[in-house]
Amino acid sequence: MVHSEQADAWLPVPHLIAGFGVVLLFIASVYHAIELRALDGSFGPVAALVVDGVPALGIIFAGYWLADSDLPSAELDTIWWRTLIGAVVIGGAFFATVLVRQYESRAVTEPVFPLLVAIEVGALAGFLTSYYYAQARVDAQQAEAVTDALRFVNKLIRHDLRNDLSVIASRSELLRTQLDIDDTDIESPHLVVEKADEAIERIETTEAITKTLVGTADFEPIDLTSITAEVADRLDETHPIDVRTDLPETALVYANAGLQSVVDNLLENAVEHNDADDPYVEITITVADDAVWLTIRDNGPGIPNDRRRTLFESDVDTGDGGLALVGTLVDMYDGEIWIEANEPRGTVVTVELPLADDQD
């Protein structure tokens, strides 16, 4: 698309810029060649040609470089005009000083050489500033378009999945009621209802997680106790594991709805990977003067020392998806998370979060 737009123009902008550089280089070469002949082989004109020839070559290269860019036609036109404006402004400023000195009847020796340098430097300055400004503007527009697309897809998926899961949950509950199935039966639709409700809760937190990750979220006092108790009760009902809790009445921390995902992932990871004969998970929340600690202790297989340092990293080669999200969210909440060994077997995961005043 860009190439077709350039082809429709009288002359593509990259050719104009490169041609401008060629003209300046030609003028400099002819002028200094005349000087070289007049001065009978002096080295001065050669050095001067290097000084004003290098910027001219830079302008030529700028046109060649611009030809490989994917900037739209309008941005290319702006770059061309600002390149000319830079040359005219800087060159014109120097030429004005020459006119003033002539008006004052002061001697003006060899004005062409510094005038060429001023024009070339002005053109390069105009090109570079306009190019990077245009590139930044295009990148911002593309980023905004991608953000809008992701926001739309996120909203669409959340809406559709929420509706589908709500249907699954309601139909499973209706089936359980009509068939009068015991909820303790492993084949009970009650488990389907629980998992559907859990998935709906996860969907509801995706917007908060997204805002947290992009840095646009507003944090407020969130009760860690209520979230932890809800997740612990659900795991106790859906998994054959002893879930033990020691929770205060309230534990307010600065966070948002994404905190639900932190607790979900940590507790589910502790439950699902526990291969002990008599598995258990102990969940403790401790409230201090300025912090709240969530401690999750299990008797599972444990985590090797070298793995503990990378478990919450976002690197796809070293981190788990859910736990990487946990590490990122905890960091966004100005908290810390670390892993220790549980004796004689298992893992202890501790999350420290800033304490929130209940009046905030």
Side-chain angles (χ1 to χ4, degrees):
M1 181 66 176
V2 173
H3 296 296
S4 64
E5 289 178 352
Q6 292 182 12
D8 293 338
W10 169 69
L11 194 63
V13 168
H15 292 176
L16 289 173
I17 293 178
F20 185 50
V22 170
V23 170
L24 292 174
L25 181 61
F26 175 76
I27 293 174
S29 300
V30 171
Y31 176 74
H32 294 306
I34 295 173
E35 277 191 323
L36 186 63
R37 178 178 298 180
L39 296 177
D40 194 20
S42 173
F43 180 73
V46 177
L49 179 60
V50 172
V51 173
D52 58 10
V54 170
L57 289 174
I59 297 173
I60 296 172
F61 176 75
Y64 173 79
W65 182 31
L66 193 63
D68 291 333
S69 73
D70 56 355
L71 293 174
S73 174
E75 297 293 347
L76 293 178
D77 291 340
T78 301
I79 292 174
W80 164 238
W81 288 113
R82 290 185 178 180
T83 299
L84 287 182
I85 291 173
V88 171
V89 170
I90 303 299
F94 174 80
F95 185 68
T97 64
V98 174
L99 293 179
V100 170
R101 281 181 291 177
Q102 287 183 337
Y103 177 76
E104 294 175 346
S105 300
R106 298 167 59 185
V108 179
T109 59
E110 195 184 2
V112 177
F113 168 54
L115 178 60
L116 280 172
V117 174
I119 293 174
E120 293 165 356
V121 170
L124 278 177
F127 171 82
L128 291 174
T129 55
S130 59
Y131 173 82
Y132 286 110
Y133 177 76
Q135 189 64 60
R137 185 162 53 186
V138 169
D139 291 343
Q141 292 172 350
Q142 292 176 345
E144 184 178 359
V146 171
T147 301
D148 290 341
L150 290 176
R151 186 182 296 115
F152 174 77
V153 172
N154 177 52
K155 184 177 180 180
L156 180 64
I157 291 177
R158 288 174 58 227
H159 175 269
D160 291 348
L161 285 180
R162 187 192 300 113
N163 290 344
D164 293 342
L165 289 170
S166 297
V167 172
I168 293 173
S170 62
R171 293 298 183 270
S172 299
E173 180 64 24
L174 179 62
L175 179 63
R176 183 190 67 83
T177 303
Q178 290 178 343
L179 298 180
D180 193 22
I181 299 176
D182 186 0
D183 289 344
T184 60
D185 188 346
I186 192 172
E187 302 296 336
S188 172
H190 178 69
L191 179 59
V192 179
V193 176
E194 290 290 338
K195 298 304 290 185
D197 290 340
E198 178 183 343
I200 292 174
E201 289 181 3
R202 291 181 186 275
I203 291 173
E204 296 296 340
T205 63
T206 55
E207 183 176 7
I209 292 174
T210 302
K211 288 183 177 181
T212 303
L213 295 180
V214 300
T216 60
D218 294 325
F219 299 150
E220 60 183 358
I222 301 291
D223 187 10
L224 180 61
T225 294
S226 62
I227 293 177
T228 305
E230 179 183 349
V231 177
D233 290 342
R234 184 175 67 239
L235 292 177
D236 190 40
E237 293 177 0
T238 58
H239 292 76
I241 189 172
D242 183 14
V243 180
R244 311 166 188 171
T245 60
D246 182 10
L247 310 177
E249 183 177 351
T250 58
L252 297 179
V253 298
Y254 282 115
N256 61 2
L259 185 62
Q260 175 86 33
S261 184
V262 172
V263 179
D264 268 337
N265 279 286
L266 290 178
L267 291 184
E268 288 195 1
N269 187 72
V271 168
E272 292 176 356
H273 296 286
N274 198 323
D275 58 354
D277 295 334
D278 187 18
Y280 72 83
V281 173
E282 293 181 351
I283 309 165
T284 304
I285 293 181
T286 305
V287 180
D289 292 337
D290 58 354
V292 174
W293 286 278
L294 169 64
T295 303
I296 302 171
R297 188 185 308 269
D298 66 66
N299 62 338
I303 300 174
N305 288 333
D306 58 343
R307 182 79 170 116
R308 296 175 192 171
R309 294 190 299 270
T310 60
L311 194 61
F312 299 106
E313 293 182 358
S314 58
D315 185 2
V316 295
D317 295 326
T318 59
D320 173 82
L323 295 181
L325 176 61
V326 168
T328 302
L329 289 175
V330 170
D331 185 62
M332 293 289 187
Y333 298 150
D334 290 332
E336 295 184 20
I337 185 169
W338 63 90
I339 301 175
E340 300 171 299
N342 187 27
E343 297 299 337
R345 185 177 192 269
T347 303
V348 180
V349 179
T350 303
V351 179
E352 179 182 343
L353 297 170
L355 177 67
D357 189 340
D358 57 1
Q359 296 181 357
D360 288 344

